[in-house]
Amino acid sequence: MPYTTDTTRLTVGQAVVRFLAAQRVERDGDSQPFFGGALGIFGHGNVAGIGQALLQYREDFRLYQGRNEQGMVHIATGYAKMRNRLGAMAVTTSIGPGATNMITGAATATVNRLPVLCLPSDIFASRRTGPVLQQLESSLSWDSSASDAFKAVSKYWDRINRPDQLPTALLEAMRTLTSPADTGAVTLSLPQDVQAEAWDFPDLLFRERTWHVPRARADRAALRRAAQVIAAAERPVIIAGGGVIYSAATAELEAFAARTGIPVGVTQAGKASLPFGHPQMVNALGASGSVFANQLANQADVIIGIGTRYTDFTTASNTLFTNPDVTFVNLNVTELDAQKESGLALVGDARESIGELDELLAEYTVPAAYRAEAEKAAADWRTEVDRILEIQDAPTLSQAEAIGIVNAAAGDHHVVVNAAGSMPGDLHRLWRPSDPKAYDLEYGNSCMGYEVGGALGAKMADPTRDVFCFIGDGTFLLSSQEIMTAVQEGLKLTVLLVDNYGYGSIAALSETRGSQGFACRFNYRGEDGQYNDDRINVDLAANAASYGADVLTATTASELKQALTDAATIDNTVVIYVRVDAKGRFGGSGAWWDVPVPEVSELDSTQQARKEYEEQVTVQRLYL
């Protein structure tokens, strides 16, 4: 486009919306609009600024009305994940509490390396008004505000105190949002008076602009070194993380694993990297994984991490890889992650680099006995899953049984969404995804409240999918409001509201760590001042119905199957309320998770848990 000095007089709010509407993204020749619109709750700070701009340009840039600021960021995060980070949404809020409500969601987006644009309103830049209403006062600086809290959870943060600062900030925001290595939450803090100020913005700022997402190649010398390490391996294991899916490298990984015979364990983010029935797919690995995958990882001489961040659950708090001579080869677009565990770092795109590694290892396969051992482990785990999911003749469903029934009904084009609690571990081990985008477990931040918002974002990003959202009773009481947003937008979700009578996951953890499940169930306080065994009967089904959803209930396996059949015929969002056995869990992963226990205590339960903790922590190591 030829250079021009033409300008258009716009407010800052209007310039932001016009700019966002003009952004596109391209990878592998596929070009598409980058932003799917904005989510907003209007209030003091943005109603007459960004709010007016969204009204003015509503035909070109859609606004979705949210119920909770954190929930809106979760919607945007779920949208970005379904779009493989090639799409994002903006989130606008008022100042003060409206802005800070976004911080947890922003942290979740950044932890998971997913692009979200946060547009919190800020205090008056002119300082002509009092700093009290919905604002912090600081003796350190008049420039300090609540929006400074976003700095710690953003990949890029800026405050726009003058209209002429906006163009460079918008361009840097887009660079960050579309970067495979640097993406996460981006925060542009917008003082409420500046949102309404006008300036003569260059017309070039609003031209259609395409951001090309690169496929960076790993260094050839590093690839050759990695190939030498792998070629000498007797018992290698691949850990596939979310980077495999975001780079669309699933076909390359499948071919590489099949040819070499290297078994593949998956993280929560990488769960659908291989088909569930693939011969080399040993499935979930780590603290929430299976004993079959973890036993292979215990003995591995080379760990090949592809697109994984080596989270605490993946490494079982650095106790999983017990071979004293284990070596790590890490392929990641982010140098920080590629260098973890003192690994041989391959900094590059997963799809391209897997192909180049495969060429360098053309003559390599694992020993025949090890291939047979790994394939048997994969087959044995699939048999174990069938056993766990088999319906038992019990008065109350187990959580695993409920998951198996839903999975069987989910079809060939679904996505399951969940986050915190006990269900992530069960889903990680048991769920059979239909394709690489069929599984969205937010476990980078393990953020209670992501469930409904993330599911709605996935549905916005791909309306053709059947979206199933698992949410526990504890999380439902915390954050379920976006069910109303789904109803309002006519975007159908099937929400499985699983009631296990409180914070079931933490109750189990509390019991194993000597804290006796204290304050983890929803019980009344007795006359002695302590919580008793009398449960509070909250009508969660009625709560769900109040949002406008269709509500079904199920207690038995046959009732849940019928509810899912009925739900499939309903166009509205459906909430299926299911009570499950509060302690109906299956065996562990054979891996540990470091949750410290007090060194001294008057409680016998804590003293015993401390002894067990001290035994476990002795096998923890740093890979130096």
Side-chain angles (χ1 to χ4, degrees):
M1 183 176 180
Y3 180 77
T4 175
T5 58
D6 294 344
T7 61
T8 300
R9 192 163 183 80
L10 299 168
T11 67
V12 165
Q14 292 160 5
V16 167
V17 175
R18 279 196 56 181
F19 175 86
L20 299 184
Q23 305 309 299
R24 299 183 66 83
V25 67
E26 177 274 331
R27 187 176 71 176
D28 300 335
D30 182 18
S31 177
Q32 55 197 303
F34 185 65
F35 285 99
L39 295 139
I41 296 175
F42 296 134
H44 173 220
N46 67 340
V47 65
I50 289 286
Q52 184 278 336
L54 288 164
L55 166 66
Q56 183 167 312
Y57 299 120
R58 62 189 182 278
E59 299 294 331
D60 303 314
F61 202 74
R62 176 171 291 189
L63 172 75
Y64 296 91
Q65 185 185 67
R67 312 273 87 82
N68 175 278
E69 290 88 356
Q70 182 185 142
M72 292 193 300
V73 184
H74 291 328
I75 293 171
T77 303
Y79 179 92
K81 185 167 188 179
M82 179 56 69
R83 293 288 299 273
N84 258 359
R85 304 195 294 202
L86 299 175
M89 300 190 81
V91 186
T92 174
T93 69
S94 61
I95 71 170
T100 55
N101 279 350
M102 279 202 291
I103 291 173
T104 298
T108 299
T110 294
V111 166
N112 287 283
R113 316 289 207 270
L114 291 165
V116 173
L117 177 60
C118 297
L119 301 174
S121 299
D122 209 335
I123 59 177
F124 279 79
S126 67
R127 303 180 182 173
R128 288 194 298 266
T129 64
V132 178
L133 181 62
Q134 293 188 319
Q135 298 173 40
L136 292 170
E137 290 183 281
S138 171
S139 59
L140 176 67
S141 170
W142 282 105
D143 194 45
S144 295
S145 79
S147 291
D148 288 284
F150 282 89
K151 291 179 180 178
V153 298
S154 300
K155 295 296 288 186
Y156 172 70
W157 181 95
D158 207 347
R159 178 179 286 123
I160 311 303
N161 284 312
R162 296 163 41 126
D164 53 348
Q165 294 175 336
L166 185 64
T168 53
L170 287 172
L171 293 173
E172 182 61 17
M174 283 302 302
R175 182 204 67 78
T176 306
L177 290 168
T178 59
S179 168
D182 288 342
T183 196
V186 166
T187 300
L188 297 183
S189 194
L190 302 173
Q192 58 178 311
D193 53 342
V194 177
Q195 288 183 42
E197 288 181 14
W199 191 62
D200 295 324
F201 287 93
D203 286 349
L204 283 172
L205 182 65
F206 309 113
R207 67 181 175 87
E208 185 177 283
R209 191 184 303 261
T210 298
W211 299 81
H212 301 279
V213 178
R215 289 193 177 276
R217 261 65 170 187
D219 176 69
R220 288 295 297 178
L223 281 165
R224 287 193 291 269
R225 289 193 295 271
Q228 289 174 350
V229 171
I230 297 169
E234 296 286 327
R235 301 182 61 86
V237 170
I238 292 171
I239 301 178
V244 174
I245 295 172
Y246 294 137
S247 64
T250 54
E252 286 72 18
L253 176 62
E254 184 174 358
F256 180 67
R259 189 190 64 74
T260 61
I262 302 175
V264 178
V266 291
T267 69
Q268 285 281 17
K271 162 76 173 176
S273 296
L274 286 186
F276 187 83
H278 190 282
Q280 274 67 48
M281 172 61 147
V282 294
N283 216 275
L285 175 145
S288 61
S290 77
V291 293
F292 297 87
N294 289 340
Q295 285 172 355
L296 290 174
N298 292 158
Q299 302 170 41
D301 54 358
V302 174
I303 298 293
I304 307 166
I306 305 179
T308 179
R309 296 180 296 121
Y310 288 105
T311 66
D312 197 41
F313 258 53
T314 298
T315 69
S317 301
N318 275 339
T319 63
L320 187 62
F321 315 113
T322 56
N323 185 324
D325 299 317
V326 66
T327 301
F328 295 83
V329 174
N330 300 328
L331 168 57
N332 206 293
V333 291
T334 304
E335 186 177 25
L336 170 69
D337 296 323
Q339 296 283 357
K340 287 179 178 175
E341 310 293 18
S342 299
L344 195 164
L346 301 176
V347 182
D349 175 81
R351 193 188 77 176
E352 299 304 316
S353 300
I354 290 172
E356 293 179 347
L357 260 182
D358 198 19
E359 292 176 5
L360 291 170
L361 290 165
E363 304 300 319
Y364 172 77
T365 62
V366 300
Y370 181 59
R371 180 190 283 264
E373 177 187 347
E375 291 184 356
K376 183 178 185 301
D380 286 349
W381 176 242
R382 291 192 291 272
T383 300
E384 178 68 1
V385 169
D386 290 338
R387 183 194 67 79
I388 293 167
L389 297 181
E390 185 177 355
I391 305 301
Q392 304 298 314
D393 186 18
T396 305
L397 280 170
S398 71
Q399 188 165 276
E401 289 169 335
I403 287 172
I405 292 169
V406 176
N407 200 171
D412 295 331
H413 192 56
H414 71 260
V415 59
V416 63
V417 182
N418 184 240
S422 60
M423 279 181 283
D426 290 355
L427 289 163
H428 191 198
R429 299 181 185 109
L430 304 177
W431 193 266
R432 297 177 171 99
S434 61
D435 62 83
K437 299 307 298 180
Y439 187 85
D440 178 3
L441 259 288
E442 192 298 287
Y443 223 50
N445 208 27
S446 187
C447 184
M448 286 180 67
Y450 174 81
E451 290 85 345
V452 177
L456 181 52
K459 188 69 173 181
M460 288 177 175
D462 188 352
T464 69
R465 284 186 182 267
D466 295 318
V467 180
F468 295 86
C469 166
F470 280 91
I471 184 170
D473 51 312
T475 305
F476 187 89
L477 291 168
L478 171 77
S479 181
S480 56
Q481 306 94 319
E482 303 311 330
I483 289 175
M484 180 178 170
T485 307
V487 172
Q488 180 183 29
E489 294 294 336
L491 294 167
K492 180 184 175 179
L493 309 178
T494 302
V495 179
L496 281 301
L497 172 49
V498 181
D499 187 352
N500 64 1
Y501 310 102
Y503 302 124
S505 173
I506 293 302
L509 181 65
S510 173
E511 289 169 358
T512 62
R513 297 305 188 268
S515 294
Q516 304 174 18
F518 176 67
C520 293
R521 298 295 179 187
F522 299 153
N523 297 339
Y524 286 103
R525 190 178 296 279
E527 293 181 0
D528 61 354
Q530 304 301 316
Y531 293 118
N532 57 33
D533 294 330
D534 188 10
R535 287 183 176 141
I536 301 171
N537 290 316
V538 182
D539 194 338
L540 296 175
N543 271 268
S546 73
Y547 293 132
D550 284 32
V551 178
L552 308 172
T553 61
T555 302
T556 65
S558 59
E559 289 174 352
L560 179 53
K561 291 176 183 178
Q562 186 60 52
L564 288 162
T565 299
D566 294 342
T569 68
I570 299 171
D571 292 332
N572 189 27
T573 285
V574 177
V575 176
I576 302 176
Y577 176 70
V578 185
R579 281 188 173 176
V580 299
D581 183 348
K583 295 189 176 182
R585 306 297 306 285
F586 57 93
S589 63
W592 185 62
W593 184 34
D594 190 347
V595 178
V597 178
E599 286 192 59
V600 297
S601 173
E602 297 176 1
L603 301 176
D604 291 341
S605 60
T606 306
Q607 293 170 11
Q608 180 59 37
R610 179 67 193 187
K611 291 179 182 177
E612 295 171 2
Y613 177 80
E614 290 175 351
E615 292 172 3
Q616 293 285 350
V617 80
T618 58
V619 300
Q620 199 172 37
R621 62 182 284 198
L622 294 177
Y623 299 97
L624 302 173

